[in-house]
């Protein structure tokens, strides 16, 4: 009975976490719901216990607001787990298991596709490539290193995608859960070792996977050894409604996941400036100028390699509009010549910069050596 109570407690917690922890790729409807229900209480706890008056409450992983949300959900899970009566436990755990399996499957499919298309670990931006190795933080260093290998991303992404697909079918679910546990354990170790800020989220995904591999799954593995008496075509319907609903839900999720890749191609066409430029004006205190794919202009100082960044936009009257970290906006003359060089006014100076073929740098070359001598 105690084991069943503990299982129900974790089930309630995971259901609440799935409902209230906002996933960034599902727009912001979860954030609105969570903020509506817990926003004021979270803000009060942050201010009273953590002295975080102006902290951003977005419930992103490893933030104070997420930590407070988890504490609240653990408390409410204790209450709800006592409310659920013994006769409802089996149905509750069955529904919880199904929801958690779909959730983990969507997460694995989403991040598997992201890796295959190099959206999670993109090719390092020019400002990273021109920074000294020792000046990079460990998380950026790890992210950038993984982004240089297409093969690694495709293999790891395919394993995650395959694991997510296995979870969708009852007969392969146990194998999918074992692969999910291995994937999430590896991700958690990496996040802790390289100080990457999704530690709490990856920990909960790992615990959720372990939660699903309980006694029933091991029993199911033993049943799996014996072949079923009925074949697929012996079923009353060729396409049962459960299968139809499953295909419908997964189809919608895949369309939702795939949409950013189509819009990304359009965005890439709108940002022809992306890349690295060497500043050739001798009086300028800056050595390089970078245009980041997320529409940031970054200047690197000559001697310290210190960088300053601005969000930028190009107007039709040869002006570049810059917005700094304090949200101050300024306009500057900006010209691009036919040879690819640019002229840019900044801090009462005219900066001339020449495009660099950074794609030819060693880190971006897909080289593979089977033999080394």
């Amino acid at each position: 009975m105690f084991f069943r109570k503990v299982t129900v407690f974790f089930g309630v917690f995971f259901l609440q976490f799935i409902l209230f922890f906002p996933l960034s790729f599902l727009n912001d409807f979860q954030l609105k719901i969570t903020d509506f229900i817990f926003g004021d209480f979270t803000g009060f706890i942050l201010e009273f216990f953590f002295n975080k008056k102006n902290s951003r409450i977005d419930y992103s992983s490893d933030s104070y607001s997420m930590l407070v949300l988890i504490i609240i959900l653990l408390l409410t899970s204790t209450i709800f787990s006592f409310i659920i009566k013994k006769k409802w436990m089996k149905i509750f755990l069955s529904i919880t298991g199904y929801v958690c399996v779909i959730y983990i499957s969507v997460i694995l499919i989403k991040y598997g596709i992201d890796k295959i298309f190099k959206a999670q670990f993109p090719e390092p931006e020019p400002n990273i490539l021109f920074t000294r190795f020792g000046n990079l933080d460990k998380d950026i260093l790890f992210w950038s290193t993984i982004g240089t290998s297409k093969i690694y991303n495709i293999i790891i992404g395919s394993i995650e995608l395959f694991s997510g697909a296995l979870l969708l079918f009852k007969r392969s679910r146990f194998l999918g859960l074992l692969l999910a546990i291995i994937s999430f354990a590896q991700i958690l170790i990496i996040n802790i070792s390289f100080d990457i800020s999704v530690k709490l989220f990856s920990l909960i995904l790992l615990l959720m996977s372990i939660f699903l591999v309980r006694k029933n799954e091991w029993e199911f593995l033993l049943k799996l050894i014996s072949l079923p008496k009925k074949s697929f075509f012996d079923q009353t319907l060729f396409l049962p409604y459960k299968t139809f609903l499953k295909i419908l839900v997964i189809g919608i999720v895949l369309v939702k996941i795939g949409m950013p890749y189509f819009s990304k191609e359009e965005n890439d066409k709108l940002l022809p400036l992306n890349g690295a430029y060497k500043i050739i004006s001798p009086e300028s205190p800056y050595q390089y100028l970078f245009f980041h794919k997320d529409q940031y202009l970054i200047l690197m100082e000559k001697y310290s390699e210190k960088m300053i960044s601005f969000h930028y936009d190009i107007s039709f009257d040869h002006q570049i509009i810059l917005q700094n970290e304090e949200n101050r906006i300024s306009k500057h003359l900006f010209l691009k010549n036919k040879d690819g060089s640019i002229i840019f006014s900044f801090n009462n100076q005219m900066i001339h910069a020449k495009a660099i073929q950074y794609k030819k740098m060693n880190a971006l070359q897909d080289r593979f050596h089977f033999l080394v001598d």
Side-chain angles (χ1 to χ4, degrees):
M1 187 62 188
F2 175 75
F3 177 75
R4 181 62 66 93
K5 273 284 181 190
V6 172
T7 309
V8 170
F9 167 79
F10 279 107
V12 174
F13 173 76
F14 290 135
L15 271 185
Q16 290 188 98
F17 182 81
I18 290 170
L19 183 62
F20 296 119
F21 177 71
L23 292 174
S24 57
F25 61 91
L26 295 180
N27 297 329
D28 61 351
F29 80 95
Q30 273 182 298
L31 179 60
K32 288 178 180 174
I33 294 172
T34 306
D35 193 51
F36 177 73
I37 298 174
F38 300 107
D40 292 339
F41 191 44
T42 304
F44 169 75
I45 292 177
L46 283 172
E47 186 176 342
F48 193 80
F49 291 100
F50 296 98
N51 196 24
K52 297 283 180 186
K53 269 189 177 179
N54 298 317
S55 65
R56 188 181 57 183
I57 300 178
D58 60 0
Y59 306 103
S60 56
S61 184
D62 297 2
S63 63
Y64 276 97
S65 53
M66 181 188 183
L67 178 63
V68 171
L69 177 65
I70 287 175
I71 293 170
I72 293 172
L73 296 184
L74 286 172
L75 292 174
T76 53
S77 299
T78 306
I79 297 168
F80 285 127
S81 61
F82 278 100
I83 291 175
I84 297 172
K85 294 182 179 178
K86 186 179 177 182
K87 61 180 180 182
W88 297 340
M89 286 183 178
K90 189 175 180 182
I91 298 173
F92 171 77
L93 288 174
S94 177
I95 295 171
T96 303
Y98 194 75
V99 173
C100 289
V101 161
I102 294 294
Y103 185 78
I104 290 176
S105 175
V106 169
I107 295 289
L108 285 169
I109 290 173
K110 156 70 179 165
Y111 286 101
I113 293 175
D114 274 357
K115 287 183 179 67
I116 292 170
F117 287 94
K118 295 200 74 177
Q120 186 179 7
F121 297 111
E123 193 174 82
E125 287 291 321
N127 59 304
I128 299 296
L129 290 167
F130 281 79
T131 308
R132 290 179 188 170
F133 181 92
N135 288 344
L136 289 171
D137 292 332
K138 275 198 291 189
D139 61 338
I140 296 175
L141 190 58
F142 175 83
W143 223 258
S144 304
T145 304
I146 299 299
T148 59
S149 175
K150 288 180 186 174
I151 296 173
Y152 181 81
N153 277 280
I154 290 172
I155 292 174
I156 296 297
S158 300
I159 291 172
E160 289 182 3
L161 180 60
F162 179 62
S163 307
L166 287 178
L167 288 173
L168 298 175
F169 305 98
K170 194 172 181 181
R171 296 185 68 82
S172 58
R173 190 164 297 157
F174 184 67
L175 176 60
L177 283 172
L178 294 181
L179 289 174
I181 289 172
I182 294 170
S183 295
F184 292 136
Q186 185 216 15
I187 292 167
L188 179 62
I189 291 168
I190 289 172
N191 290 343
I192 291 172
S193 305
F194 290 88
D195 196 25
I196 296 169
S197 59
V198 277
K199 302 176 196 72
L200 276 174
F201 185 50
S202 53
L203 172 63
I204 289 175
L205 289 175
L206 175 61
L207 293 176
M208 197 183 292
S209 304
I210 295 171
F211 165 79
L212 291 169
V213 184
R214 301 194 304 275
K215 184 182 173 185
N216 292 343
E217 296 296 343
W218 291 108
E219 289 175 350
F220 175 73
L221 180 66
L222 295 175
K223 288 180 183 176
L224 199 65
I225 297 172
S226 58
L227 293 173
K229 292 177 181 176
K230 284 187 176 182
S231 69
F232 179 79
F233 294 100
D234 291 331
Q235 297 179 49
T236 52
L237 289 173
F238 181 74
L239 188 63
Y241 70 94
K242 285 185 179 176
T243 306
F244 173 75
L245 287 175
K246 195 180 291 182
I247 293 172
L248 181 65
V249 170
I250 297 304
I252 293 171
V253 170
L254 287 176
V255 169
K256 179 71 182 169
I257 291 172
M259 283 176 66
Y261 299 106
F262 295 103
S263 58
K264 182 176 178 295
E265 289 180 2
E266 292 298 319
N267 289 336
D268 289 345
K269 291 176 185 175
L270 295 173
L271 297 171
L273 289 172
N274 284 11
Y277 295 80
K278 183 174 178 58
I279 296 173
I280 54 178
S281 306
E283 70 279 6
S284 173
Y286 303 106
Q287 186 176 14
Y288 294 108
L289 171 65
F290 308 107
F291 288 96
H292 192 280
K293 67 178 175 58
D294 293 332
Q295 221 165 329
Y296 282 91
L297 181 150
I298 302 164
L299 288 160
M300 179 193 279
E301 289 184 356
K302 254 180 193 170
Y303 304 107
S304 65
E305 292 193 351
K306 183 182 175 183
M307 296 190 196
I308 53 172
S309 62
F310 306 86
H311 191 266
Y312 80 89
D313 209 347
I314 302 290
S315 67
F316 293 104
D317 56 348
H318 302 297
Q319 299 275 322
I320 185 167
I321 303 164
L322 301 182
Q323 183 177 8
N324 66 11
E325 292 179 352
E326 288 80 33
N327 294 323
R328 289 179 182 166
I329 296 174
S330 57
K331 279 189 173 184
H332 309 265
L333 174 69
F334 182 85
L335 296 171
K336 185 171 184 181
N337 301 317
K338 289 182 180 178
D339 61 357
S341 63
I342 58 174
I343 300 173
F344 169 61
S345 68
F346 186 75
N347 283 350
N348 300 320
Q349 287 186 350
M350 292 301 290
I351 295 175
H352 294 251
K354 190 177 178 182
I356 298 172
Q357 297 297 321
Y358 75 97
K359 292 278 185 182
K360 294 182 179 178
M361 295 178 81
N362 286 337
L364 301 186
Q365 304 310 307
D366 285 325
R367 292 170 183 157
F368 176 77
H369 300 91
F370 188 72
L371 299 173
V372 295
D373 55 351

